[in-house]
């Protein structure tokens, strides 16, 4: 789901159908990716500092969100721009796929973590933030180099290898975090609408969250094995390290 | 003459048809293939000149295909198990009638035991909904003249899920014991009801007009023009006034019931019908060089 993130925009399986960004767009994209790499490194820094200062459970994980909250919110929310990039065609990614991935992260952050303290302090939250952070640092730095016409094999290898472990960790974290939000969501009737009302409609947020959790069942395996196939294609068990471009 | 039939996917020969003459039709060829391979009934076959070429229509003759001597071959693609359009339509449209009725009866297992009075609009909505789908069933049986006989079988699951699912979604809320009647009361309900009826009549008029444009048993296509029926004057403005009226019906139904799920249903239908209308409009433009350029696909002057 959101955790892996590498089955994402600019996945090399999509051949460039557009001629590529013009010089202005190119410059913007380089700036964007540098800023986001730096942002997620900042998240990592705050994360590590927190862990070092609070080595014992439960604070070691329950206080993570509180420490990284601002930086995380800023840089994860900025990812919404990637939908615009795809829509404008300055990156060769599919708009719908990009939107789906960005929204699922943004939803977890603003729809699960932000409203519910129980989710913020859950073990799941600290796990998925860790997975997101490592993934995004590798992803954005990879794109930065790619835009500058460099493709360091090390980064490519990391991108297509780390997911094997990070993706399941991230997904587990996300599911645990959503699970922690279920009871408070039901008790508070958060974001819910009950009958009677002039719209003649009802919406129960905690059922919506349960539905969300269920969607991981069909979606996660597909995304995971897509990455596995990508890995085979791109660095596919090749022992020779060929540095191209 | 002899024609080779090859598999569109593998290129391998499936069979050779002999005793074919210039006046044999594509349908005749399909029937001969079917005789040799009982699995491949004609509706399931797509014959084309190239593996990925255009599907040849059943009425085309061998002569019109202009096959070169010594190189007479056609490619066969299996469209998969097929189901008749009529069958699919009847199934899709019957579901909503029964689903809505189920909720209208306010069964205890759905709503619990309830004693609330029902506002008149709930009865009117039931009548409108049922009328709409009964009309559709009757049109499927007696009015529509289909271009294609069949569609892939998986469509029936997709389509029924859509129709039955939305029927339950809309019916659940309108028939709910805690349903809130429209904010402007009768001033909202009765004009919307009138609009609904007008749009239903309009939609029916267009369907009848299409029926009259196509002789029974044929697949004739011609440019539609307004007839004596004033509802058909919409043809001067749009290619698919049947869809225009249908959207109109559902907008009126939504206003009449003031129900958000009905709005969602209206939007979903509008989206799908717009896609269909754009496709049909393009086909008209391609097929008829004298097609009136001022017409729009579905919404006069706009879309």
């Amino acid at each position: 789901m959101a955790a892996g993130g590498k089955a994402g925009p600019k996945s090399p399986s999509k051949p460039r159908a557009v001629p590529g960004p013009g010089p202005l767009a190119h410059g913007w994209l380089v700036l964007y990716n540098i800023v986001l790499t730096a942002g997620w490194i900042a998240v990592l820094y705050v994360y590590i500092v927190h862990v070092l200062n609070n080595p014992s459970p439960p604070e070691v994980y329950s206080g993570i969100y509180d420490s990284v909250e601002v930086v995380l919110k800023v840089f994860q929310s900025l990812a919404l721009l990637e939908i615009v990039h795809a829509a404008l065609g300055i990156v060769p990614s599919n708009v719908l796929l990009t939107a789906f991935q960005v929204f699922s992260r943004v939803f977890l952050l603003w729809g699960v973590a932000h409203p519910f303290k129980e989710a913020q302090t859950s073990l799941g939250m600290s796990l998925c933030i860790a997975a997101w952070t490592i993934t995004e640092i590798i992803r954005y730095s990879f794109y930065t180099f790619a835009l500058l016409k460099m493709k360091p094999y090390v980064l490519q290898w990391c991108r297509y290898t780390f997911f094997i472990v990070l993706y399941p960790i991230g997904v587990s974290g996300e599911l645990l975090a959503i699970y922690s939000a279920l009871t408070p969501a039901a008790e508070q009737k958060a974001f819910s609408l009950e009958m009677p009302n002039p719209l003649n409609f009802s919406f129960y947020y905690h059922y919506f969250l349960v539905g969300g959790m269920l969607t991981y069942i069909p979606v996660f395996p597909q995304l995971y094995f897509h990455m596995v196939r990508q890995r085979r294609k791109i660095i596919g068990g090749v022992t020779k390290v060929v540095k191209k471009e | 003459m002899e024609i080779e039939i090859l598999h569109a996917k593998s290129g391998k020969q499936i069979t050779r048809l002999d005793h074919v003459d210039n006046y044999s039709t594509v349908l005749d060829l399909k029937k001969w293939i079917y005789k040799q391979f009982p699995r491949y009934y004609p509706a399931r076959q797509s014959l084309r000149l190239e593996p990925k070429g255009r599907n040849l229509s059943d009425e085309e003759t061998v002569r019109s295909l202009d096959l070169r001597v010594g190189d007479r071959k056609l490619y066969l693609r299996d469209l998969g198990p097929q189901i008749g359009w009529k069958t699919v339509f009847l199934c899709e449209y019957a579901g909503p009638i029964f689903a809505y009725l189920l909720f209208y009866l306010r069964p205890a297992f759905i709503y619990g035991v309830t004693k609330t009075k029902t506002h008149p609009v709930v009865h009117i909505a039931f009548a409108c909904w049922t009328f709409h789908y009964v009309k559709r069933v009757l049109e499927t049986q007696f009015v529509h003249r289909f271009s294609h006989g069949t569609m892939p079988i998986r469509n029936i699951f997709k389509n029924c899920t859509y129709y039955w699912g939305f029927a339950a979604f809309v019916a659940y809320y309108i028939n709910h014991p805690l349903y809130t009647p429209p904010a402007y009361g009768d001033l909202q309900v009765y004009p919307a009801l009138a609009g609904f009826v007008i749009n239903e009549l309009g939609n029916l008029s267009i369907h009848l007009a299409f029926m009259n444009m196509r002789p029974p048993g044929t697949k004739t296509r011609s440019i539609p023009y307004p007839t004596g029926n004033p509802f058909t004057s919409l043809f001067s403005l749009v290619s698919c006034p049947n869809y225009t009226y249908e959207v109109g019906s559902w907008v009126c139904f939504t206003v009449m019931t003031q129900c958000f799920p009905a709005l969602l249903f209206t939007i979903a239908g509008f989206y799908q019908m717009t896609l269909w209308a754009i496709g049909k409009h393009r086909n008209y433009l391609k097929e008829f060089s004298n097609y009136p350029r001022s017409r729009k696909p579905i919404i006069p002057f706009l879309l």
Side-chain angles (χ1 to χ4, degrees), chain A residues 51-73:
Chain A
V51 169
L52 294 175
N53 288 335
N54 301 277
S56 50
E59 298 83 25
V60 69
Y61 65 81
S62 65
I64 298 270
Y65 179 83
D66 191 59
S67 303
V68 302
E69 182 176 5
V70 175
V71 207
L72 179 64
K73 280 178 170 171

Side-chain angles (χ1 to χ4, degrees), chain B residues 236-252:
Chain B
S236 339
L237 298 176
V238 288
S239 295
C240 303
N242 49 323
Y243 294 149
T244 317
Y245 285 120
E246 173 89 17
V247 176
S249 287
W250 290 115
V251 168
C252 290

